[in-house]
């Protein structure tokens, strides 16, 4: 089912939680709402589910206006941040709940319900724990029960609020992959809320980056990661190095560096900031271009196959972070205290006045 | 989990040395508490039973099977049967409204629920006399329609309702506040309507708290004296509840009979206390189950 969010706004008192949010989600897409806490992403999810009402705007499922339809009637699967499992029911009863509360006419027979619940428990690999209570399960198991429970009612839309927020790193990665596979198998239109950029980049078809109740950017993971449209998005999606400088003759002058910047003519002479990701910082032993600046290596740490290098620029008093593969690190024979030259491989220039952060 | 509960219990018992008092302080405190209990609770309770059986078992049975006594017992039970379910219903409704919704005047409602605790039972009784008595606000209307509230059973029920209404609500509000509404929301997204959500999710979660509130409410409904005394009119065999009956017997120097009925009430109280303890124990056990994460 496709979801359309049209100009949705919501405020609590004088605090604007959401401002004119519009998103179009085609059937079967997996979308991440990504943003820092307080950016309004959970409120948006709750409005889509009907648990909260928007002050303005409309929610459409398959073109049908759902704005004033109650949660009960919306047929959405909702996975809560802290799972909200029914404490007094076993795993089996939790999953069966949505099937058992249907009006008598639509209800499946007891045997059918049992079959279906067992099938779902098989899907989430919890068959052996059907008789346990939520308090007897680990976090990852609870999360899977919550998913099975939501899927039991065959929702057309699956909404997940920080689905992996409370789990440890390993379980989180497994579940994330599992969710992706599940989605590819069932093609339920899904929206999940997260503050973890890695999670969003890893799982989603499309990412909606939100901040302060507004949408900053919508795009595929590649788009938002490689072509952020604002300093906020750049900053939020991964580490970043900043080069503060002034635009002169189409170049960003910063210390001894003159960095090629393709910006409009009007911005001549203005202050600007170049954003460079650590893995786009090129380290060289000799100065080969005007873009390169001398720097000293202050710290090297190896994490798996990547090497993180911390550098201190010699022209201006600033620190930089670079990331390079191990092979390259060996080829360059970098070591602590060494003097090298760095230049930004790929960068994006933003002029501060255009974006008030 | 079965293996984890005892573990937790064990952990609770072995408190670190730094938070416990030296042995002699503990001994003094414990004996002071026990002495106090003996003096003010066990001794009077025993006295009631000794006094009740002072003139033999025949007098005892005669006192509690006397028509007036029987009618007092019946009336008390009637009041309990009417007031406790009503107040349980009201308490759940009020707690539900206060904890799950936001509305104007919520804090006023919370304050109003405490009103019967705050004012003296005598005043509670007088309020009803002022409203429904022959010279009261609705006195003429009631007289014309031949309805008697004051000095009759309806007045007693009303007064008891008023005095006992905070018990259930007071018990449930903090419990439901702590539980939040996540489970209810989950139930709604799964297609259950409000009533099903309440019956299948909310009620099971508040079950023990609700029972505890009902038991306290029940105890008070049986024992209420002040407010009931004002509206009852003390008509023997008609409007006397057990506490009022005891007072009358006592004033007539029928000590054995008074204490016999009193012993009956004490037994009810003890049973209530035992029930209360069982429920507390069950609820604590359940809570522990939930804590094992």
């Amino acid at each position: 089912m496709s979801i359309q969010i049209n100009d949705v706004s919501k405020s609590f008192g004088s605090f604007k939680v959401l401002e004119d949010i519009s998103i179009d989600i085609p059937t079967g897409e997996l979308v991440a709402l990504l943003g820092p806490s307080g950016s309004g992403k959970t409120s948006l999810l709750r409005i889509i589910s009907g648990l909260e009402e928007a002050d303005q705007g409309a929610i459409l499922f398959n073109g049908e206006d759902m704005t004033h339809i109650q949660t009960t009637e919306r047929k959405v699967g909702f996975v809560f941040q802290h799972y909200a499992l029914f404490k007094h029911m076993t795993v089996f009863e939790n999953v069966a709940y949505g099937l058992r509360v249907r009006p008598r006419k639509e209800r499946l027979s007891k045997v059918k319900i049992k079959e279906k619940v067992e099938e779902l428990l098989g899907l989430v690999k919890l068959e052996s724990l059907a008789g346990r209570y939520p308090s007897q399960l680990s976090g990852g198991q609870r999360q899977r029960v919550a998913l099975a429970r939501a899927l039991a009612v065959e929702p057309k839309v699956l909404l997940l609020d920080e689905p992996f927020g409370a789990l440890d790193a390993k379980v989180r990665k497994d579940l994330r992959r599992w969710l992706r596979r599940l989605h590819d198998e069932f093609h339920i239109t899904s929206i999940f809320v997260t503050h973890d950029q890695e999670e969003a980049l890893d799982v989603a078809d499309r990412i909606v980056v939100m901040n302060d109740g507004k949408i900053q950017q919508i795009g595929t993971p590649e788009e938002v990661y490689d072509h952020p449209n604002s300093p906020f998005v750049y900053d939020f999606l991964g580490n970043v190095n900043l080069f503060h400088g002034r635009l002169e003759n189409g170049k960003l002058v910063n210390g001894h560096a003159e960095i090629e910047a393709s910006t409009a003519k009007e911005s001549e002479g203005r202050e600007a900031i170049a954003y460079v990701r650590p893995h786009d910082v090129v380290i060289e032993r000799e100065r080969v271009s005007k873009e390169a600046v001398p720097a000293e290596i202050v710290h090297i740490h190896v994490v798996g196959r990547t090497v993180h290098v911390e550098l201190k620029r010699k022209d201006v008093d600033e620190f930089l972070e670079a990331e390079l593969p191990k092979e390259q690190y060996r080829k360059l024979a970098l070591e602590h205290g060494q003097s090298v030259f760095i230049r930004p491989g790929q960068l994006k220039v933003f002029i501060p006045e255009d974006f008030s952060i | 989990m079965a293996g984890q509960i005892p573990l937790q219990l064990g952990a609770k018992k072995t408190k670190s040395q730094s938070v416990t008092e030296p042995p002699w302080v503990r001994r003094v405190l414990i004996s002071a508490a026990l002495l106090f209990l003996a003096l003010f609770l066990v001794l009077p309770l025993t006295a009631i039973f000794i006094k009740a059986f002072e003139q033999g078992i025949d007098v005892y049975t005669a006192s509690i099977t006397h028509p007036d006594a029987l009618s007092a017992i019946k009336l008390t039970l009637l009041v309990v049967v009417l007031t406790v379910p009503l107040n349980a219903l009201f308490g759940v409704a009020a707690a539900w409204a206060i904890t799950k919704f936001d509305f104007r005047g919520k804090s006023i409602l919370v304050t109003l629920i405490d009103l019967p605790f705050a004012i003296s039972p005598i005043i509670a009784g007088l309020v009803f006399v002022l409203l429904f008595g022959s010279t009261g606000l609705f006195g003429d209307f009631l007289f014309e329609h031949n309805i008697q509230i004051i000095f009759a059973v309806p007045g007693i029920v009303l007064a008891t309702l008023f005095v006992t209404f905070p018990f259930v609500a007071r018990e449930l509000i903090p419990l439901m506040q702590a539980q939040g509404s996540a489970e209810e929301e989950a139930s709604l997204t799964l297609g259950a309507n409000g009533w099903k959500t309440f019956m299948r999710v909310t009620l099971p979660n508040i079950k023990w708290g609700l029972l505890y509130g009902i038991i306290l409410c029940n105890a008070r409904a049986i024992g209420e004296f002040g407010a009931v005394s004002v509206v009852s009119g003390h008509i023997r065999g008609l409007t006397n509840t057990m506490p009022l009956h005891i007072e009358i017997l006592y004033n007539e120097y029928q000590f054995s009979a008074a204490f016999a009925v009193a012993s009956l009430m004490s037994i009810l109280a003890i049973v209530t206390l035992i029930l209360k303890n069982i429920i507390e124990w069950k609820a604590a056990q359940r809570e522990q189950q939930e804590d094992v994460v």
Side-chain angles (χ1 to χ4, degrees):
Chain A
M1 198 183 292
S2 69
I3 305 171
Q4 245 180 302
I5 300 158
N6 289 341
D7 293 323
V8 165
S9 297
K10 168 98 185 163
S11 30
F12 289 125
S14 60
F15 178 66
K16 280 192 174 161
V17 189
L18 293 170
E19 263 184 272
D20 297 326
I21 302 286
S22 295
I23 311 171
D24 266 340
I25 301 166
T27 308
E29 200 176 47
L30 176 56
V31 172
L33 298 181
L34 176 67
S37 51
S39 59
K41 50 198 195 312
T42 296
S43 294
L44 182 58
L45 199 73
R46 289 172 64 86
I47 287 172
I48 297 171
S49 74
L51 288 172
E52 229 151 284
E53 231 177 297
D55 298 339
Q56 265 176 52
I59 304 288
L60 281 73
F61 288 176
N62 260 357
E64 201 183 325
D65 193 353
M66 284 283 160
T67 318
H68 302 292
I69 306 284
Q70 285 190 323
T71 307
T72 320
E73 310 295 327
R74 285 198 194 186
K75 300 210 182 330
V76 294
F78 201 111
V79 176
F80 291 83
Q81 190 176 4
H82 300 288
Y83 324 128
L85 296 178
F86 305 126
K87 294 189 280 284
H88 61 285
M89 295 183 203
T90 62
V91 168
F92 185 94
E93 288 165 337
N94 262 285
V95 178
Y97 185 86
L99 301 170
R100 286 179 175 167
V101 295
R102 281 188 188 164
R104 201 170 293 262
K105 273 177 278 169
E106 301 165 29
R107 207 183 302 158
L108 299 170
S109 69
K110 273 193 180 161
V111 185
K112 283 255 174 67
I113 289 180
K114 188 163 188 286
E115 270 173 24
K116 181 142 193 209
V117 172
E118 275 164 2
E119 185 195 319
L120 281 161
L121 288 177
L123 187 75
V124 297
K125 300 185 188 68
L126 289 170
E127 303 101 318
S128 55
L129 303 178
R132 297 248 188 125
Y133 284 92
S135 57
Q136 297 164 293
L137 303 177
S138 71
Q141 289 167 339
R142 285 182 204 181
Q143 181 58 275
R144 270 142 57 199
V145 176
L147 262 165
R149 181 178 73 176
L151 290 172
V153 292
E154 291 176 4
K156 298 287 181 288
V157 172
L158 189 60
L159 306 171
L160 306 108
D161 187 6
E162 298 268 1
F164 315 118
L167 304 170
D168 57 70
K170 175 83 178 74
V171 181
R172 210 166 160 147
K173 229 168 203 163
D174 288 348
L175 264 178
R176 185 152 109 187
R177 288 283 142 75
W178 180 82
L179 175 72
R180 183 69 235 187
R181 276 204 305 278
L182 186 89
H183 182 264
D184 292 344
E185 208 171 306
F186 290 88
H187 286 292
I188 306 170
T189 314
S190 310
I191 305 177
F192 75 100
V193 157
T194 182
H195 62 260
D196 181 347
Q197 33 98 8
E198 202 189 315
E199 201 168 286
L201 291 170
D202 192 17
V203 181
D205 292 325
R206 232 156 29 119
I207 297 177
V208 177
V209 186
M210 292 180 68
N211 188 33
D212 280 339
K214 285 182 273 240
I215 294 178
Q216 300 291 327
Q217 189 171 4
I218 305 182
T220 63
E222 293 77 41
E223 275 167 17
V224 291
Y225 189 79
D226 293 333
H227 307 288
N229 67 357
S230 65
F232 172 81
V233 178
Y234 219 117
D235 208 18
F236 197 69
L237 286 155
N239 287 333
V240 76
N241 293 303
L242 306 183
F243 290 82
H244 292 265
R246 186 179 291 279
L247 288 168
E248 279 167 27
N249 299 323
K251 284 177 178 167
L252 181 75
V253 181
N254 156 265
H256 291 167
E258 278 178 28
I259 302 162
E260 209 64 56
S262 48
T263 46
K265 276 239 165 70
E266 303 86 75
S267 28
E268 259 316 297
R270 290 173 73 176
E271 295 286 331
I273 307 167
Y275 283 71
V276 185
R277 296 237 183 261
H279 55 78
D280 286 329
V281 174
V282 182
I283 302 179
E284 284 156 340
R285 301 293 296 263
E286 270 143 51
R287 190 172 194 192
V288 290
S289 73
K290 272 192 141 184
E291 290 193 336
V293 284
E296 187 190 326
I297 297 177
V298 287
H299 194 68
I300 299 175
H301 55 123
V302 184
V303 182
R305 296 196 50 223
T306 39
V307 181
H308 298 258
V309 182
E310 269 174 53
L311 303 125
K312 187 173 187 288
R313 283 176 64 172
K314 284 179 177 168
D315 54 345
V316 285
D317 194 26
E318 270 170 27
F319 287 90
L320 285 175
E321 207 186 313
E323 231 178 80
L324 64 165
K326 221 172 195 169
E327 303 88 67
Q328 207 186 333
Y329 161 72
R330 288 218 189 92
K331 220 157 76 188
L332 287 166
L334 300 178
E335 52 188 78
H336 191 91
Q338 199 174 24
S339 287
V340 290
F341 292 92
I342 51 148
R343 66 184 168 84
Q346 203 189 31
L347 79 160
K348 178 126 183 155
V349 177
F350 292 104
I351 297 156
E353 286 108 280
D354 295 351
F355 302 96
S356 40
I357 327 176
Chain B
M1 176 198 60
Q4 274 167 297
I5 281 181
L7 250 175
Q8 274 227 338
L9 280 174
K12 263 186 187 168
K13 271 176 195 161
T14 51
K15 274 189 185 159
S16 83
Q17 276 295 312
S18 59
V19 295
T20 53
E21 304 295 334
W24 68 269
V25 176
R26 267 183 284 165
R27 244 171 263 146
V28 167
L29 284 174
I30 291 170
S31 14
L34 284 179
L35 195 73
F36 188 85
L37 267 174
L39 257 174
F40 291 94
L41 293 171
V42 182
L43 201 64
L45 204 61
T46 338
I48 289 174
F49 283 92
I50 291 171
K51 202 79 179 157
F53 286 103
E54 206 176 40
Q55 294 179 31
I57 195 110
D58 292 339
V59 176
Y60 183 86
T61 31
S63 319
I64 58 173
T65 52
H66 187 274
D68 287 351
L70 281 181
S71 109
I73 293 168
K74 268 188 216 151
L75 181 60
T76 302
L77 292 180
L78 176 73
V79 169
V80 166
V81 166
L82 288 175
T83 55
V84 174
L86 276 175
N87 274 335
L89 215 64
F90 165 80
V92 172
W96 171 272
I98 285 166
T99 54
K100 311 276 172 182
F101 304 102
D102 262 321
F103 53 90
R104 220 178 269 263
K106 187 161 142 174
S107 56
I108 296 176
L109 182 59
V110 176
T111 315
L112 278 179
I113 287 173
D114 282 339
L115 192 69
F117 277 169
I119 65 174
S120 157
I122 294 286
I123 297 166
L126 277 174
V127 166
F128 288 102
V129 173
L130 287 175
L131 282 177
F132 305 118
S134 55
T135 54
L137 206 54
F138 301 109
D140 293 335
F141 174 84
L142 294 170
F143 183 75
E144 277 164 29
H145 293 80
N146 206 14
I147 304 169
Q148 183 136 28
I149 290 181
I150 299 304
F151 306 139
V153 178
I156 297 171
V157 173
L158 279 177
T160 313
L161 262 179
F162 180 83
V163 174
T164 58
F165 93 38
F167 286 98
V168 173
R170 268 285 132 210
E171 195 58 45
L172 290 183
I173 289 168
L175 180 71
M176 287 168 85
Q177 258 162 357
Q179 283 177 348
S181 29
E183 286 186 43
E184 277 83 3
E185 285 180 347
S187 170
L188 290 179
T189 63
L190 291 167
N193 58 29
W195 174 247
K196 276 182 179 159
T197 299
F198 176 75
M199 291 305 287
R200 286 169 177 257
V201 176
T202 311
L203 203 56
N205 275 338
I206 59 167
K207 180 169 66 182
W208 295 114
L210 177 61
L211 266 176
Y212 184 64
I214 287 177
I215 282 195
L216 288 180
C217 179
N218 180 59
R220 184 66 189 265
I222 293 173
E224 176 53 30
F225 179 81
V228 168
S229 173
V230 177
V231 296
S232 132
H234 304 270
I235 306 164
R236 274 186 208 220
L238 276 181
T239 62
N240 267 349
T241 60
M242 284 167 86
L244 300 182
H245 185 64
I246 293 168
E247 193 213 11
I248 288 178
L249 290 174
Y250 184 82
N251 286 344
E252 288 172 353
Y253 304 106
Q254 302 188 42
F255 296 128
S256 283
F259 281 104
V261 182
S263 75
L264 214 59
M265 282 189 71
S266 309
I267 291 168
L268 278 177
I270 291 166
V271 169
T272 309
L273 276 180
I274 291 169
L275 273 179
K276 186 194 105 166
N277 267 316
I278 292 173
I279 284 167
E280 273 180 341
W281 176 72
K282 283 257 185 194
Q285 216 182 24
R286 197 179 127 72
E287 219 162 79
Q288 233 168 24
Q289 241 180 49
E290 275 154 24
D291 284 347
V292 182
V293 172

